[in-house]
Amino acid sequence: MMNEPALTIKNLMVRFGEVAVLRGVSASLPSGAVTAFVGPNGAGKTTLFHAISGDLLPDKGIVSLRGKPITGMAPWKVARNGLGKMFQDVRVFDSLTVIDNVLLALHEHEGLSVWASLTGVPMWRRHAPKLLQEAESWLEIVGVERPYDRPAGLLSFGNKKLLALARLMAGKFDVFLLDEPTAGVSPVLVERIAELIRKMANRGITIALIEHNFSFVTNVAEHVYLMREGTIQDWGATEEVLAKDENREILIGL
Amino acid sequence: MENYVLHLLTMIGIYAILAYSMNLVTGFGGLLVFCLAGFYGVGAYTHTLLQVGGAESRLADELLFSAACPFPVALLGAALAGGGAAIAIGVVALRFRGDFFVFATLGFQMMLYTVLYNWNELGRGAFGIYGIPRPVVFGWEINQPWEYVVLVGVVDTMVLPFLFLLYRSPFGLSLKALRDNERAAESLGISAFRQHLSALMVAGAFSGIAGGLYASYVTYIDPTSFGLNESIFIVSLLLLGGSGNIRGPIIGTVVMILLPEALRFVGLPDSFAANLREIIYGFALILLMYWRPRGLAGDFSLR
Ligand SMILES: Nc1ncnc2c1ncn2[C@@H]1O[C@H](COP(=O)(O)OP(=O)(O)OP(=O)(O)O)[C@@H](O)[C@H]1O
Ligand SMILES: [Mg+2]
């Protein structure tokens, strides 16, 4: 079953100097489903996500979010259009407290200006307890280790990933791009992350993720795209794509 | 002796505004800027031109314009001019990243200085402007050293809370996030350019106010007070005291203003003391960066 796509990518090309890293990638993310991008190291998966989120300007191709073209848009504008992202290297705000990391995502974007911050003092003061509560409940849902008032830089790697996830969930995004959400994370946390991803998808959020952990992919993703050397090698239902011998060879027998 | 203490208090009050302005941009925003003295100078000159004038003023003919404005209006003008200069410079400088941004602010600092130095029709260039009127605030004529302490104290208590509020506000939080990881902050919908430009604008406006206060305190200004040296001095207030919080900048300001005075009392010959002071400054800063990269009381390392 393919719903109307939340995000479509057409013929995306990216080159770094002489090297073509994406050579015409087309894909679409069905709304409210989980789609995985798999492929050997260096296949261009992270580059694809960067090109979607505006962190990188593609040389060619079109990205559209619910029919609206977002190609070449600044990353913060793409985010305001509802696309949230978790980086491969996590990127929590180390010097902010754990709870401030989530609070930041909860604030309305307009409320972050100097003007709103000065004129809306009673407002952000009054909202503060409510927002704090909400931030705390996201942290609890995700299961980030307490205490929440210490700098996020002190968290373990696994907990930083959870925090990045909590930050995404607190933001008002309806499409998530997750770059290797389970890499370097203990098996217990992998199971919890899988659960969270399914929960998010059930709430109607469209999720794309990059993964090397195939049992995890089989566990959470309905669809999978297999990438190799900057192209889409195969795509379809997860079980089918991962079952083919030639695909297994690309993935495992490098 | 008493007047001397009052003088130091006045200077601390003026530099506190500069240090806290710098703190917003550098301590919270993570942007090292070397053109704050430029904004300070723009404020000082704007304030002066707006203040000078009136029937008995001979000086007015030698300036680009003179408006004989009341003191509060002139100070407001200084804030607008400082903020405006910061926006103009920020729009260009923020196109550059990292070290290049720092160099761009350095370049603009030199440009502002050169303009003040060579544009004779504006404010008599290198000759400077003397006889700047003493402030009259709602009928209160300010003459005595203690009156200046009160004036600067009142202005500080009026403007610094705005900065402290911004430090704690959602705006301040977004600046800290950008400082920690710009791309992650942008992925949450925060525009680095907008937030950084806003921070620069606020810092420029407040530095402009500091400039206005300075001009009407010393009653004589020339471009040398607003050069690169001065910008480096302001950066070092923050380096020394520490940034990203409220206590750091004031500690840095007090120490940096009192230190040379303390050296003076050691009783060295004046010509020698001045040079030695510079050497001790430099040496102290290097030691500090080595031992305490966060400054004496900072939350955030500028390294
Ligand atoms: N900024 C860059 N400049 C030059 N080459 C780059 C750059 N970024 C990535 N590459 C190259 O592009 C190719 C694809 O990189 P990418 O990070 O997209 O791979 P990936 O599929 O995410 O790999 P992994 O599974 O290891 O994360 C690699 O060969 C990489 O060396
Ligand atoms: Mg990758």
PDB file of all heavy atoms in Angstrom, chain A residues 45-47 88 179-180 210 212, ligand 2:
ATOM      1  N   LYS A  45      24.384   7.961   1.179  1.00  0.00           N
ATOM      2  CA  LYS A  45      23.140   8.071   1.956  1.00  0.00           C
ATOM      3  C   LYS A  45      23.083   9.386   2.741  1.00  0.00           C
ATOM      4  O   LYS A  45      22.087  10.119   2.673  1.00  0.00           O
ATOM      5  CB  LYS A  45      23.026   6.876   2.927  1.00  0.00           C
ATOM      6  CG  LYS A  45      23.129   5.522   2.222  1.00  0.00           C
ATOM      7  CD  LYS A  45      23.049   4.361   3.185  1.00  0.00           C
ATOM      8  CE  LYS A  45      24.164   4.272   4.218  1.00  0.00           C
ATOM      9  NZ  LYS A  45      25.507   3.992   3.671  1.00  0.00           N
ATOM     10  N   THR A  46      24.164   9.663   3.466  1.00  0.00           N
ATOM     11  CA  THR A  46      24.195  10.908   4.242  1.00  0.00           C
ATOM     12  C   THR A  46      24.120  12.119   3.315  1.00  0.00           C
ATOM     13  O   THR A  46      23.406  13.088   3.584  1.00  0.00           O
ATOM     14  CB  THR A  46      25.482  10.969   5.092  1.00  0.00           C
ATOM     15  OG1 THR A  46      25.454   9.896   6.039  1.00  0.00           O
ATOM     16  CG2 THR A  46      25.599  12.285   5.841  1.00  0.00           C
ATOM     17  N   THR A  47      24.828  12.032   2.198  1.00  0.00           N
ATOM     18  CA  THR A  47      24.798  13.121   1.228  1.00  0.00           C
ATOM     19  C   THR A  47      23.369  13.354   0.731  1.00  0.00           C
ATOM     20  O   THR A  47      22.930  14.502   0.589  1.00  0.00           O
ATOM     21  CB  THR A  47      25.718  12.786   0.037  1.00  0.00           C
ATOM     22  OG1 THR A  47      27.017  12.476   0.548  1.00  0.00           O
ATOM     23  CG2 THR A  47      25.808  13.951  -0.923  1.00  0.00           C
ATOM     24  N   GLN A  88      24.038  12.248  11.646  1.00  0.00           N
ATOM     25  CA  GLN A  88      24.798  11.017  11.902  1.00  0.00           C
ATOM     26  C   GLN A  88      25.681  11.188  13.146  1.00  0.00           C
ATOM     27  O   GLN A  88      25.835  10.272  13.925  1.00  0.00           O
ATOM     28  CB  GLN A  88      25.660  10.683  10.677  1.00  0.00           C
ATOM     29  CG  GLN A  88      26.358   9.335  10.775  1.00  0.00           C
ATOM     30  CD  GLN A  88      26.916   8.853   9.434  1.00  0.00           C
ATOM     31  OE1 GLN A  88      26.789   9.505   8.412  1.00  0.00           O
ATOM     32  NE2 GLN A  88      27.536   7.684   9.446  1.00  0.00           N
ATOM     33  N   ASP A 179      19.612   9.883  10.533  1.00  0.00           N
ATOM     34  CA  ASP A 179      20.831   9.312   9.964  1.00  0.00           C
ATOM     35  C   ASP A 179      21.472   8.365  10.980  1.00  0.00           C
ATOM     36  O   ASP A 179      22.105   8.807  11.928  1.00  0.00           O
ATOM     37  CB  ASP A 179      21.796  10.434   9.567  1.00  0.00           C
ATOM     38  CG  ASP A 179      22.884   9.943   8.608  1.00  0.00           C
ATOM     39  OD1 ASP A 179      23.098   8.714   8.538  1.00  0.00           O
ATOM     40  OD2 ASP A 179      23.515  10.787   7.949  1.00  0.00           O
ATOM     41  N   GLU A 180      21.283   7.088  10.783  1.00  0.00           N
ATOM     42  CA  GLU A 180      21.811   6.027  11.654  1.00  0.00           C
ATOM     43  C   GLU A 180      21.427   6.209  13.124  1.00  0.00           C
ATOM     44  O   GLU A 180      22.294   6.367  13.991  1.00  0.00           O
ATOM     45  CB  GLU A 180      23.337   5.931  11.498  1.00  0.00           C
ATOM     46  CG  GLU A 180      23.727   5.717  10.043  1.00  0.00           C
ATOM     47  CD  GLU A 180      25.134   5.155   9.868  1.00  0.00           C
ATOM     48  OE1 GLU A 180      25.747   4.744  10.868  1.00  0.00           O
ATOM     49  OE2 GLU A 180      25.598   5.098   8.724  1.00  0.00           O
ATOM     50  N   ILE A 210      18.446   6.077   7.811  1.00  0.00           N
ATOM     51  CA  ILE A 210      19.593   5.389   7.230  1.00  0.00           C
ATOM     52  C   ILE A 210      20.051   4.378   8.262  1.00  0.00           C
ATOM     53  O   ILE A 210      20.131   4.712   9.448  1.00  0.00           O
ATOM     54  CB  ILE A 210      20.733   6.386   6.952  1.00  0.00           C
ATOM     55  CG1 ILE A 210      20.297   7.394   5.881  1.00  0.00           C
ATOM     56  CG2 ILE A 210      22.000   5.652   6.527  1.00  0.00           C
ATOM     57  CD1 ILE A 210      21.291   8.520   5.681  1.00  0.00           C
ATOM     58  N   HIS A 212      22.470   0.553   9.108  1.00  0.00           N
ATOM     59  CA  HIS A 212      23.283  -0.606   8.737  1.00  0.00           C
ATOM     60  C   HIS A 212      22.810  -1.858   9.469  1.00  0.00           C
ATOM     61  O   HIS A 212      23.246  -2.957   9.171  1.00  0.00           O
ATOM     62  CB  HIS A 212      24.753  -0.346   9.081  1.00  0.00           C
ATOM     63  CG  HIS A 212      25.405   0.657   8.169  1.00  0.00           C
ATOM     64  ND1 HIS A 212      25.687   0.397   6.850  1.00  0.00           N
ATOM     65  CD2 HIS A 212      25.806   1.935   8.385  1.00  0.00           C
ATOM     66  CE1 HIS A 212      26.247   1.466   6.302  1.00  0.00           C
ATOM     67  NE2 HIS A 212      26.325   2.416   7.212  1.00  0.00           N
TER      68      HIS A 212
HETATM   69 MG    MG C   2      26.459   8.342   6.368  1.00  0.00          MG
END
